[in-house]
Amino acid sequence: MKKFLAVLTLLFIPLAGLSQVYGPLDPNQDNFNSIRVNGVSTILAYGDTVWISPSLNRNIGNVAEWFTPENADSVVSGIGRVYSLELGQDTVLAGLGFTNTDAESNPQTAYGYYFSIDGGDSWRFEPPVLDPDPPAKCFSTDPDYQRPATAEDYDPDCDIQFTYGGVTYNRIRFTVPEQAPPYEVDFKDNVVFSTNFAGGLLRSTDFGQTWERVILPPDNVSEMTPDDDYTWGSSLILASGNAVQINRYDPISSVGFNIRAFGVHIDTQNRVWVGTGNGINVSDNALSAPTDSIRWNHITYDGSANGLIGNWVIEIKEEPGTGKIWMTNRVIESGQENQGLVYTDDGGQTFEQMLIGERINDIGFKDGYVFATGDNGLFISPNGGDTWIKSPQIKSPNTFIKSSAIFYSATSTTDRVWVSTSDGLASHECCVTNQVFDNWQITRVDFPLDGGNIHEEGRNVNSYAYPNPFSPTVHELVRIKFEVDQQVNVKVRVFDFGMNLVREIENASFTPGTYEAIWDGIDGKGRKVANGPYIYVIQTGNKQTTGKILVVD
């Protein structure tokens, strides 16, 4: 069944573009313990505690300052970044990765895992899960190496052998961390699951100290049990240029998409749900069964009105108290597939479809409300997905989230709903019947005028502009931060390098506090300015502060 979307938006386009001063900022402004970046892809809560990526920042009770762990060097001072999170009582599991700029095409790369069982006070690091290198005889540089002439000549020692249902199969060795970051993690007691794209599905039964790879069904198999034999097709290129097919489990080069794992969730019935590039897999015994005996139901897009919208399943969440399993759907092969959001309340036999056409990134829940974060904004359902409202631009009394921001993730604490975006975090008290979401609390990187923050040292300055250089097309707007120390008239203007007035942003009386002036690269006549240097001038009474903005579009 397809659900109805009511679109509620507020559109305001001033004649001469966007320019305004916002503030004063939070009374507890200029916090040294700030979040690290405004673009937060992952946010997750347990009780009244919130954890965010990319650096394991923590907030308890919605206080102004954010905790940064002192002994998680891989993400605090190293190249590791948080790709996935799962929480329990005093337990934090973080899957780590990074963008490998030293490799061709800058692949997303596995970095390992962080485990904490004391609320984040101490951490245990575990490296990426890799197979042993193959024997030397498997390389063409070995003097005894002979390229096989037929599939029967293929040496299975060059792969890893595994057993399923008493039958021995070959699996390609996975010896490099590229294309295998932990996109999602989940755990119950000491059993941990991790979905690692080309690295497949991993399971640990000792809370991450050792790992084993879990085999998923071939693309064309709807039910995999230990009672049957299975075929995973792959190619071995011979010296003659002919391709000989061998039965090999190969997440890297195989044409099969179901063994490329993206999302995982352990539900309240102890079922394990795994989203891949070829639908959703559900197991009723993956938590406890040996890997050679795990049963899977494999559900794919079939074009029906009560099936999946698309085959690429990334995010999987269970709505508390309802048993509904929600999942984001995207297109893996163009054609009839689409993107949107679905849920099932019968174990995957049927699905309710909604927000068709929207690229949804995550789902959050609070007191009967459902929050869907997407590339096109935040969607809110007050009735479990029956109807949806697209949120207007998120604003607080002193700042806002850019209208072009991507909404990445959603979660809830005891009395608030939280969303993360490409332009900061937003939270709102929630939820009551007919809740109105019109006065959000917004958290963005706080880089004080005096001395920087915990993540980056800074100079003592009277003002600064960011981002700088500034691209109106890429960044949408530039923010100019400054301080007012007494009740005074404030005038904020932008000039070109010849000191010709380009735009007056503000001319009004301000109370003491820290403010941000907003400029979108439009002049006073509504025209886009040319590339080059511009001077901003802040006049506060008899005091004048200046700075430079480099426009590069």
Side-chain angles (χ1 to χ4, degrees):
M1 181 181 294
K2 300 177 181 178
K3 298 299 185 179
F4 173 71
L5 168 64
V7 178
L8 175 63
T9 57
L10 299 179
L11 183 63
F12 175 63
I13 305 178
L15 177 63
L18 173 67
S19 68
Q20 194 170 347
V21 172
Y22 284 84
L25 303 182
D26 193 298
N28 298 306
Q29 56 184 323
D30 288 353
N31 292 313
F32 180 75
N33 294 307
S34 165
I35 64 175
R36 182 169 185 166
V37 295
N38 289 322
V40 175
S41 62
T42 302
I43 182 170
L44 195 62
Y46 190 94
D48 63 352
T49 302
V50 175
W51 289 88
I52 64 171
S53 66
S55 298
L56 283 174
N57 294 123
R58 182 190 70 194
N59 188 286
I60 301 177
N62 194 34
V63 297
E65 295 195 342
W66 287 75
F67 163 84
T68 298
E70 296 181 354
N71 52 0
D73 295 343
S74 295
V75 293
V76 175
S77 56
I79 62 174
R81 297 293 180 264
V82 174
Y83 275 49
S84 52
L85 280 169
E86 189 56 45
L87 306 176
Q89 182 69 46
D90 295 323
T91 302
V92 185
L93 166 57
L96 312 180
F98 69 102
T99 301
N100 190 349
T101 56
D102 294 329
E104 184 178 358
S105 302
N106 300 333
Q108 302 300 304
T109 301
Y111 197 72
Y113 303 87
Y114 264 136
F115 295 83
S116 176
I117 57 174
D118 55 14
D121 290 339
S122 62
W123 300 88
R124 186 185 94 239
F125 176 77
E126 296 292 342
V129 182
L130 302 175
D131 294 326
D133 289 331
K137 64 181 180 180
C138 299
F139 294 97
S140 59
T141 53
D142 188 325
D144 297 324
Y145 175 82
Q146 292 184 348
R147 187 181 293 274
T150 67
E152 287 73 23
D153 295 330
Y154 179 73
D155 191 338
D157 287 344
C158 295
D159 282 342
I160 296 288
Q161 292 188 328
F162 70 93
T163 300
Y164 183 77
V167 179
T168 300
Y169 300 91
N170 288 334
R171 173 179 64 77
I172 190 173
R173 289 177 183 266
F174 198 85
T175 60
V176 295
E178 283 76 19
Q179 300 186 48
Y183 282 115
E184 191 62 85
V185 292
D186 201 359
F187 68 87
K188 182 177 178 61
D189 300 324
N190 286 326
V191 180
V192 181
F193 285 91
S194 176
T195 49
N196 295 61
F197 181 52
L201 176 64
L202 302 176
R203 184 182 73 172
S204 170
T205 57
D206 53 14
F207 206 54
Q209 297 184 62
T210 60
W211 294 85
E212 52 194 349
R213 296 189 188 275
V214 178
I215 304 303
L216 293 171
D219 278 15
N220 60 352
V221 172
S222 60
E223 183 179 8
M224 192 171 86
T225 71
D227 300 326
D228 294 319
D229 298 348
Y230 300 95
T231 298
W232 292 274
S234 186
S235 295
L236 180 69
I237 304 301
L238 306 183
S240 62
N242 297 320
V244 174
Q245 295 292 326
I246 63 171
N247 185 19
R248 183 169 67 166
Y249 191 89
D250 182 359
I252 300 176
S253 59
S254 172
V255 295
F257 289 109
N258 194 50
I259 52 183
R260 302 176 187 178
F262 289 94
V264 63
H265 176 73
I266 306 169
D267 70 15
T268 52
Q269 298 182 46
N270 290 332
R271 295 174 299 190
V272 177
W273 299 71
V274 178
T276 70
N278 189 241
I280 186 74
N281 301 268
V282 190
S283 174
D284 61 1
N285 69 343
L287 267 176
S288 57
T291 55
D292 66 351
S293 304
I294 296 177
R295 300 182 294 266
W296 292 102
N297 287 326
H298 176 211
I299 305 154
T300 59
Y301 168 82
D302 60 8
S304 67
N306 62 351
L308 296 175
I309 301 172
N311 259 336
W312 190 1
V313 178
I314 297 179
E315 193 64 42
I316 311 164
K317 293 263 185 86
E318 182 174 2
E319 183 178 358
T322 67
K324 294 178 180 178
I325 306 297
W326 294 71
M327 57 196 76
T328 62
N329 287 185
R330 294 187 187 174
V331 178
I332 197 70
E333 290 184 328
S334 59
Q336 293 184 337
E337 288 184 44
N338 210 325
Q339 57 189 5
L341 185 63
V342 300
Y343 76 74
T344 177
D345 56 9
D346 56 15
Q349 297 181 54
T350 60
F351 295 86
E352 295 284 344
Q353 302 177 350
M354 56 206 72
L355 298 180
I356 297 176
E358 294 292 344
R359 188 180 176 93
I360 302 301
N361 300 312
D362 193 22
I363 321 104
F365 312 98
K366 180 64 177 169
D367 299 336
Y369 281 74
V370 184
F371 302 86
T373 51
D375 285 8
N376 193 35
L378 173 65
F379 300 87
I380 304 173
S381 173
N383 47 26
D386 289 339
T387 59
W388 293 85
I389 295 171
K390 182 180 178 184
S391 172
Q393 183 180 13
I394 287 183
K395 298 180 179 180
S396 73
N398 46 39
T399 188
F400 61 93
I401 300 293
K402 291 191 299 186
S403 59
S404 62
I406 296 173
F407 285 72
Y408 290 126
S409 191
T411 192
S412 62
T413 51
T414 50
D415 60 355
R416 303 185 74 83
V417 60
W418 294 72
V419 293
S420 70
T421 79
S422 58
D423 193 41
L425 306 174
S427 69
H428 201 292
E429 291 184 349
C430 187
C431 291
V432 296
T433 303
N434 299 321
Q435 174 86 50
V436 177
F437 296 92
D438 61 352
N439 187 16
W440 293 79
Q441 179 177 315
I442 295 174
T443 301
R444 305 182 75 256
V445 171
D446 198 338
F447 196 78
L449 296 172
D450 297 330
N453 61 29
I454 191 172
H455 306 290
E456 185 177 351
E457 294 183 0
R459 298 176 295 120
N460 292 339
V461 295
N462 294 320
S463 70
Y464 63 83
Y466 70 101
N468 198 2
F470 160 56
S471 166
T473 300
V474 174
H475 303 125
E476 185 178 341
L477 54 87
V478 61
R479 302 173 190 256
I480 305 167
K481 188 170 185 176
F482 64 96
E483 192 173 49
V484 175
D485 56 13
Q486 60 181 337
Q487 179 86 34
V488 69
N489 190 77
V490 176
K491 185 182 294 186
V492 182
R493 293 173 293 173
V494 177
F495 296 84
D496 63 21
F497 211 59
M499 293 310 294
N500 301 299
L501 180 63
V502 173
R503 183 77 171 274
E504 182 171 273
I505 296 177
E506 189 63 86
N507 186 356
S509 179
F510 283 74
T511 58
T514 302
Y515 294 81
E516 285 185 345
I518 307 300
W519 182 48
D520 57 1
I522 302 297
D523 68 14
K525 297 181 179 180
R527 302 171 301 191
K528 184 178 178 180
V529 301
N531 289 348
Y534 292 82
I535 307 298
Y536 65 82
V537 178
I538 304 168
Q539 189 80 37
T540 55
N542 296 323
K543 179 183 176 182
Q544 181 172 286
T545 301
T546 64
K548 184 186 294 184
I549 300 172
L550 181 61
V551 175
V552 181
D553 213 357

